[in-house]
Amino acid sequence: MDNIERYDSKEDRWERVDHPMRTARYFLAVGVMGDKLYVVGGVDKRNASLASAECYDSSTGRWTPVASMSQRRYGCGAGVLNGKLYVIGGTMEKNGDYLETAERYDPVADLWEDVAPMSTSRYCCGVCVINGKLFAVGGVDKKYVKLASVESFDPVTGEWSEEPSMLTARYNCGVEESAGKMYVVGGRDEKNRALQTVECFDTLTSTWHPAAPMGTVRSSGAVAVLPPTVA
């Protein structure tokens, strides 16, 4: 699909954005920098994987192409750190090798550059930015092993470091930061069963612990954190 919808919280309604993306795509990665939305990679109508990227400017309501990634990928993770968009893992082809490579986009220079690869390939992994680092969470590796492992990228050193593993191996999970902690929600486990479990990583103690489960199993779900309510 190439169409986009946006939600107006004041009116409690969805509306379709007037201008569709330039390229229909699914299994894409998304990142927000400033008032612009970036969509990256994915698979097009011909089931071909994409390296292309485009940007939606909310002030003009239009999409424009930006520089393409160095390699085609879909099922990849994305996160914004220090004003740059990082895209990690994924795969180039159906039934192809899963990727450990990573690259980042500089919107000022309109350029992609390779960064250090992850220690393992990760397809359909979760991504979270917390405490100035980019975390890669779970996923599936080249041997089709479902992963509980976690690693983090430090932009200062330009290196990945191993982090404590999750309690449960999972992929297609949602990941988000809240109050300095990382929450991993749902996904699928080693037996490809959809999960309702949630776990939390405390960055102060570097430990995982279970959080309250969802009421419904969910895989490939989206996660967002709302700001605290002001009384």
Side-chain angles (χ1 to χ4, degrees):
M1 299 180 67
D2 57 6
N3 60 75
I4 302 291
E5 298 181 52
R6 62 187 170 202
Y7 177 69
D8 187 328
S9 59
K10 293 182 179 179
E11 299 293 332
D12 189 27
R13 64 183 177 89
W14 289 89
E15 60 183 2
R16 180 167 290 191
V17 173
D18 290 336
H19 299 283
M21 291 186 291
R22 301 172 67 92
T23 301
R25 60 183 81 210
Y26 67 97
F27 242 144
L28 65 159
V30 177
V32 175
M33 291 188 283
D35 60 355
K36 295 181 179 179
L37 172 73
Y38 293 82
V39 296
V40 181
V43 179
D44 68 12
K45 291 180 178 179
R46 300 170 299 166
N47 285 324
S49 57
L50 301 168
S52 63
E54 49 190 299
C55 170
Y56 177 76
D57 188 331
S58 60
S59 65
T60 63
R62 293 188 177 276
W63 292 90
T64 55
V66 297
S68 294
M69 293 184 290
S70 63
Q71 61 184 148
R72 296 173 288 117
R73 62 176 86 213
Y74 68 93
C76 46
V80 175
L81 177 60
N82 296 340
K84 296 183 179 181
L85 176 65
Y86 288 75
V87 179
I88 65 173
T91 185
M92 294 177 65
E93 303 290 349
K94 185 177 181 181
N95 300 322
D97 281 345
Y98 295 159
L99 303 171
E100 64 272 2
T101 55
E103 49 190 306
R104 65 185 169 200
Y105 175 71
D106 182 338
V108 177
D110 189 28
L111 290 174
W112 290 88
E113 62 177 342
D114 294 334
V115 298
M118 295 179 287
S119 65
T120 186
S121 52
R122 295 181 189 270
Y123 172 69
C124 291
C125 67
V127 174
C128 184
V129 173
I130 187 169
N131 293 344
K133 295 182 180 180
L134 182 86
F135 283 73
V137 179
V140 185
D141 71 9
K142 288 181 178 178
K143 297 180 180 179
Y144 302 103
V145 174
K146 282 73 176 183
L147 302 171
S149 64
V150 179
E151 53 190 302
S152 66
F153 179 80
D154 186 335
V156 176
T157 64
E159 297 179 351
W160 291 88
S161 299
E162 181 181 358
E163 299 286 349
S165 292
M166 293 184 289
L167 306 175
T168 302
R170 61 179 82 206
Y171 67 101
N172 278 343
C173 50
V175 186
E176 188 56 273
E177 180 270 341
S178 178
K181 297 180 180 180
M182 179 167 61
Y183 291 83
V184 181
V185 179
R188 291 186 179 274
D189 66 10
E190 293 172 303
K191 296 183 178 180
N192 295 319
R193 297 173 299 194
L195 299 169
Q196 67 186 99
T197 56
V198 178
E199 47 190 297
C200 172
F201 181 68
D202 188 328
T203 56
L204 294 178
T205 61
S206 293
T207 55
W208 289 92
H209 62 83
M214 297 180 289
T216 303
V217 297
R218 297 179 190 274
S219 176
S220 302
V223 180
V225 175
L226 293 173
T229 301
V230 178

